[in-house]
Amino acid sequence: MLLLEVISGERLAKPERGKMRVHKISNVNKALDFIASKGVKLVSIGAEEIVDGNVKMTLGMIWTIILRFAIQDISVEETSAKEGLLLWCQRKTAPYKNVNIQNFHISWKDGLGFCALIHRHRPELIDYGKLRKDDPLTNLNTAFDVAEKYLDIPKMLDAEDIVGTARPDEKAIMTYVSSFYHAFSGAQKAETAANRICKVLAVNQENEQLMEDYEKLASDLLEWIRRTIPWLENRAPENTMQAMQQKLEDFRDYRRLHKPPKVQEKCQLEINFNTLQTKLRLSNRPAFMPSEGKMVSDINNAWGGLEQAEKGYEEWLLNEIRRLERLDHLAEKFRQKASIHESWTDGKEAMLQQKDYETATLSEIKALLKKHEAFESDLAAHQDRVEQIAAIAQELNELDYYDSPSVNARCQKICDQWDNLGALTQKRREALERTEKLLETIDQLYLEYAKRAAPFNNWMEGAMEDLQDTFIVHTIEEIQGLTTAHEQFKATLPDADKERQAILGIHNEVSKIVQTYHVNMAGTNPYTTITPHEINGKWEHVRQLVPRRDQALMEEHARQQQNERLRKQFGAQANVIGPWIQTKMEEIGRISIEMHGTLEDQLNHLRQYEKSIVNYKPKIDQLEGDHQLIQEALIFDNKHTNYTMEHIRVGWEQLLTTIARTINEVENQILTRDAKGISQEQMNEFRASFNHFDRKKTGMMDCEDFRACLISMGYNMGEAEFARIMSIVDPNRLGVVTFQAFIDFMSRETADTDTADQVMASFKILAGDKNYITVDELRRELPPDQAEYCIARMAPYNGRDAVPGALDYMSFSTALYGESDL
């Protein structure tokens, strides 16, 4: 009882003075009751065993008293007594070589730990540099002697016992070390001050790094925009469609490959800026003001200019391509019509100039005359083509076609030739009409042959053209239609063969009549140039072309089947990926407004979503591969899905941007909560209130909803007060209040943050109440990187009491918070 009164400073109940066992037990119980009243839970310690001299029980009670009155009050960063004492020892001995405190037994065997604790607080008592790790007895005795002589710490331990045992007694070491903690407890105040300074400096260092990152990212983005806009504003046209299409392809590469990373950089820049401003506001620092021309608004303006230039450039490209397409179409149309006309006129001048009618029979003359009439009709029909050729040439001239000289020269040649043909035609008609009066007979069989041979020949030529005609189809149904038409054509071949035999029979009849009656027909037909040999040759050609057409249709059918497989494969994936992206967007939106668990739970949930989204990227890449196959196969439509690759790309980019922004918002909420001392329950209440009055579920409250929210929380304010609050939560006057602004407002008045005065007071403690602090004191009390941070930024102290190496910590503390705190 006397021991407890001495160490607690309190009076215990009056002891029993009797010498009997019952008196002794009563006194011990009074001691045990006092220990229990101090919150100590006694387990298996009874007064009878102590009175009976149970050594183990007595020692257990003594250890309990030591724990309660010597060790339990030790607390470092809200840890338990034992963990707090161990953490204190680790921090104090961290700068010393050969010292690694991990426990309260073998870590102290070499004695260097005890010596380091003494040297850290009283460096003049021990020359630590001369101690050796391989001489534990000297180290231990040095520490015990110095502690007893100068620090009033009794020599509780024996050096030989510590060195001679494999594992020293943990309770004995812990009790002895606690004496050092209490002896140096006065230095704890300086350590607290140092911790506060380290915290403030760490915030400043992190903020400065964020500012540097923002400046660099903004500079790079603005430089890219500055280089890109002149390219988009270049409107120099090209002469050829190929060159303009290359420009369009370059623009599409820019939209597909070069711009998307810059969109991500712009989004990241805004996220970094918002995070930095939140951290500055939470640590009472002035808001970050980027360099001139690098504000978020400047970047948004530059980005707007870029998108405006994009729009104008794309419109110009398409207009130019349409113009060149029109020119190319006209030029090709001119060439085609000119080629057809030139092919038709080829040999016509020679034909009109020949004098075959001079030795022709009557039937030949009749044929020549009718042929010439047909030619004149044909010539009249070609008048429109000549006029069209001239009109197209004129239009090409008016549209400034680059190859107009050659077009004009060719057009002039055609017109001159046309005039000459007209003159020759008139001259030949006059000659034929003079000769016609001399001839009176005509061969009806040749006429019949010609009448039937011509349509049959045309049919065969049409059949050959159809059988050799190239086809472009895009679906199974189209190729099946061609196959059906081809089968129908093959069904007409037997009737066609019968017609061929009949025509050949007419020719054979003509030959018999000529031989029988010796008619001077010269073996030719004046009404047609189609010979039986030609008919048989073309018929054989038709028969050869039929199986070739069969093979071509079969191959095209196989290709269309493959294309249909590609469409289905792409459609199946797109119909899964498209809704998956939409679902993820909705789920992210719900996570950001719901209140399931803590903000850390929401953040972990969002990061899991982000991980699942990133892991989904191979499916997007696979879909890109299928899309590439579809493009290579020239497939232009897909009835199996409404999603295009462009839809999927845009949705994917929006999903990545949304999850990044949502994670950033939750991180900022965590920063706000921790910096403002907001509990999770308060945060849930804030979120519940915000969600209730976010009636439109947009993640923002408008002015009236915000006013209703404030009234529901007990605010009674007039128009002026509400306007003042709105100027705080909506400084940009957008008419809406975000959740981050709402939290900042609700926690503003109760913020537990460091101030310039608090930091100044902390430096004053480290400086020993002096108006300055020395370089050595900073390096002794602060971690190396933060000590050098202060030394590099503190101005020299110029007061009368200055000493060499004195630094002005007062102006430095004020500068950390900006001039608004002066």
Side-chain angles (χ1 to χ4, degrees), residues 490-535:
K490 289 196 293 185
T492 66
L493 290 178
D495 291 339
D497 190 37
K498 291 179 182 178
E499 178 66 11
R500 181 182 68 88
Q501 295 292 344
I503 293 171
L504 294 178
I506 293 172
H507 178 76
N508 292 335
E509 186 66 23
V510 169
S511 298
K512 290 179 181 178
I513 293 173
V514 169
Q515 292 174 2
T516 301
Y517 298 101
H518 304 286
V519 179
N520 185 22
M521 300 300 293
T524 61
N525 190 329
Y527 302 109
T528 181
T529 60
I530 302 171
T531 66
H533 178 73
E534 289 176 350
I535 290 176

Side-chain angles (χ1 to χ4, degrees), residues 91-92 185-201 754-755 757-769 773 777-778 781-783 786 790 809 813:
R91 288 183 173 176
K92 292 299 181 180
S185 61
Q188 194 67 25
K189 186 177 180 182
E191 183 176 353
T192 300
N195 287 339
R196 181 185 296 275
I197 292 171
C198 289
K199 177 182 174 183
V200 173
L201 295 179
D754 295 310
T755 66
D757 290 338
Q758 289 174 321
V759 175
M760 195 181 303
S762 299
F763 274 118
K764 192 174 184 68
I765 292 172
L766 297 185
D769 286 337
I773 191 167
E777 287 170 339
L778 285 172
E781 299 297 338
L782 299 180
Q786 295 185 333
C790 292
Y809 63 79
S813 301

Side-chain angles (χ1 to χ4, degrees), residues 409-424:
R410 190 173 184 181
C411 181
Q412 187 61 45
K413 181 179 178 181
I414 289 172
C415 291
D416 293 342
Q417 186 187 39
W418 183 254
D419 293 340
N420 190 36
L421 282 176
L424 291 174

Side-chain angles (χ1 to χ4, degrees), residues 264-281:
Q264 292 295 107
E265 289 181 14
K266 179 175 177 291
C267 173
Q268 190 61 46
L269 190 71
E270 294 174 0
I271 289 174
N272 291 352
F273 183 83
N274 292 335
T275 300
L276 174 59
Q277 298 294 36
T278 299
K279 289 186 175 183
L280 290 172
R281 183 173 64 255

